[in-house]
Amino acid sequence: MTETFENNKSTQDHSIYDVIISGAGPVGLFLACELALAGCSVLILEKAEHPQSPLKQLPFGIRGLSTPTIESLYRRGLLEELGVPKRLKTPFGPPASKPTSGLHRLGGHFAGIPFHHANIDTSQWKYRLPGSTDTSLLSELEEVEIVLTRRAEALGVAIKRGFAVTDFHQTEDEVAVYSGGQSFKAKWLVGCDGGRSVVRKTGGFEFAGTEPEFTGYSALVDIADPEKLRQGRIVTPGGMYFQSQPGYLIMQDFDAGAFHSTEKLVTQEHIQTLIRRISGTDVTINALHIGTTWTDRARQATAYRNGRVLLAGDAAHIHSPLGGQGLNLGLGDAMNLGWKLAATIQNKAPEGLLDSYFTERHPIGAQVLDWSRAQVAIMRPDPHARALNAIMRDLINTRDGATYMAGRVWGVHTHYHLNGNHALVGHSIPDFEFEDSTKLGEFMQDGRGILLDLDTNASLKTWAGKCSDRIRYISGSVKDNLGLTAALIRPDGIVAWATDKDPDYSELQQAADRWFLSPNH
């Protein structure tokens, strides 16, 4: 149900929602889907009256989906809706359904330095099964939002467009949210409203970090004489430029973000002046169709929660779009927060469950910010950066170097430190294939926890029966169990407990108490 704000009369929505989300971007929409899947009532307030934007169109709207994101969408039955098998492609390569080999198939890059599929040693990823979801895919941002909007509405989420959150007031029991002349109430408020988040600013969250080194430009232009620009990522004493697809121009001007901070509109004249200075040519820009700026400012909220107000996505952390990890980071926030907030609302949460959202996601965000800073450090047009760049290029061109880069860029290494006794604890559960060819991920669409029994253990089945309202018991033989006999899986697909021998029921109960069972269970 999508509504548009059409008047400024002071009114009040007397409904009390479980959660109000500020922002109907992918993060807000995915979080709304997770909450609604768990039975929560959700209202999204979005300042834009229409979801369409030129910047979401090709090539500006292309985003690389990493392994954790792909797995999350798959586990909720959303990959097929995105048309992944037919339309998405691996970055810099052919369609995922038609892989090729060879040194020239690119897997990604670090600061423009490519790593290649042929150099990646996937045997180092012990718990990643062949035939699992792709490690990286490209998707159109607009299509992601359309699919998530459709799913959110089907789950009963209310979306009000043209409603910008301007203020809120929280008490011990609820949050009153104000938008124009209207007010809304909820038990919780989540800011998914971007890097300039009103929720973050109004909520008094500290936003710590570093200032930018450059102003970045993305522009769709008509170039009269494109042959004057060299192909690829070109670093010059004046900055960097990169031309890909007809007329799609990316530039970095190391002005400490000065132009971006002026918030001036990007003009054709400015783009031409800049590209001539950076490229050292007299190239001519005939027309500017779309132009936007961005920086490498890197900031992160020092807390993701203040009372009944939470942050997710760019509202909680911002960084440069180098490597395209922002969307993945935000969707990871939503997957982690959704089931924990729902359990809290429904009084099914163990003590400290909601706090684990910050303790798990803040370090992941900090890693991404440092990853962005590290790339900028070797992209500057000066001798020191060039020296570092050359060394990194040599390292990335080794087998271990390429494997490390792929693991970081694709998110294969992403995990939480949950202090379990098995190596899989804190990691994403492998997508085991059962003897009847069904896969584990197909059983995760309802968002419940799972006790996976690969040894058909009658005692495990009895144990699971005591908490069947929160944990689903699944048993059966799989084609490759990787030595595993049983695992307790959180709703987000993260392993809470695992064993490769007879179960230690005290360990299993401790994990269940930590993630699933309320104190009075």
Side-chain angles (χ1 to χ4, degrees), residues 361-380:
R361 292 305 297 174
H362 189 273
I364 302 295
Q367 288 176 2
V368 172
L369 264 65
D370 280 346
W371 189 258
S372 172
R373 294 185 183 109
Q375 291 184 79
V376 175
I378 65 172
M379 295 175 80
R380 292 183 60 88

Side-chain angles (χ1 to χ4, degrees), residues 299-468:
R299 292 189 173 275
Q300 186 176 24
T302 56
Y304 285 6
R305 176 186 173 189
N306 179 3
R308 289 184 169 271
V309 181
L310 296 130
L311 303 176
D314 288 351
H317 36 68
I318 58 171
H319 57 90
S320 83
L322 298 170
Q325 297 197 54
L327 174 63
N328 295 293
L329 183 59
L331 292 176
D333 290 347
M335 190 68 164
N336 187 284
L337 174 59
W339 67 278
K340 296 175 180 178
L341 182 55
T344 300
I345 291 168
Q346 297 164 353
N347 297 316
K348 297 178 181 178
E351 183 178 355
L353 180 66
L354 189 56
D355 292 336
S356 72
Y357 166 58
F358 175 77
T359 57
E360 290 179 3
R361 292 305 297 174
H362 189 273
I364 302 295
Q367 288 176 2
V368 172
L369 264 65
D370 280 346
W371 189 258
S372 172
R373 294 185 183 109
Q375 291 184 79
V376 175
I378 65 172
M379 295 175 80
R380 292 183 60 88
D382 61 49
H384 298 87
R386 284 197 293 273
L388 284 171
N389 191 294
I391 292 172
M392 285 298 297
R393 192 174 294 273
D394 287 344
L395 288 172
I396 291 172
N397 200 36
T398 66
R399 192 157 180 78
D400 283 345
T403 304
Y404 171 80
M405 283 296 166
R408 286 291 300 266
V409 172
W410 295 349
V412 175
H413 291 167
T414 300
H415 67 282
Y416 303 127
H417 298 284
L418 303 186
N419 301 318
N421 292 324
H422 192 279
L424 252 181
V425 173
H427 292 258
S428 177
I429 188 72
D431 192 27
F432 292 109
E433 184 177 356
F434 293 89
E435 296 296 338
D436 63 359
S437 296
T438 59
K439 291 193 172 183
L440 179 61
E442 299 171 31
F443 295 96
M444 303 178 75
Q445 295 186 18
D446 61 2
R448 296 171 62 193
I450 290 176
L451 178 61
L452 178 65
D453 179 6
L454 301 179
D455 223 15
T456 317
N457 187 315
S459 297
L460 270 181
K461 184 176 182 180
T462 300
W463 183 94
K466 298 176 182 179
C467 47
S468 58

Side-chain angles (χ1 to χ4, degrees), residues 99-117:
T100 61
S101 59
L103 289 173
H104 298 294
R105 186 183 173 211
L106 303 181
H109 72 91
F110 178 82
I113 304 171
F115 59 86
H116 300 84
H117 280 267

Side-chain angles (χ1 to χ4, degrees), residues 155-166:
L155 290 169
V157 174
I159 305 174
K160 292 181 179 289
R161 299 189 182 275
F163 283 74
V165 172
T166 55

Side-chain angles (χ1 to χ4, degrees), residues 350-353 355-356 359-360 509-517:
E351 183 178 355
L353 180 66
D355 292 336
S356 72
T359 57
E360 290 179 3
Q509 189 63 52
Q510 287 176 6
D513 289 343
R514 173 70 184 90
W515 300 110
F516 293 100
L517 306 184

Side-chain angles (χ1 to χ4, degrees), residues 249-285:
L249 196 62
I250 297 175
M251 296 181 290
Q252 288 170 235
D253 182 21
F254 284 81
D255 64 347
F259 183 86
H260 180 80
S261 65
T262 65
E263 298 187 11
K264 292 181 180 178
L265 292 176
V266 178
T267 64
Q268 177 182 334
E269 292 74 21
H270 182 71
I271 292 294
Q272 176 160 291
T273 299
L274 196 62
I275 187 59
R276 285 182 172 182
R277 175 166 61 80
I278 292 176
S279 68
T281 70
D282 60 351
V283 64
T284 299
I285 305 297

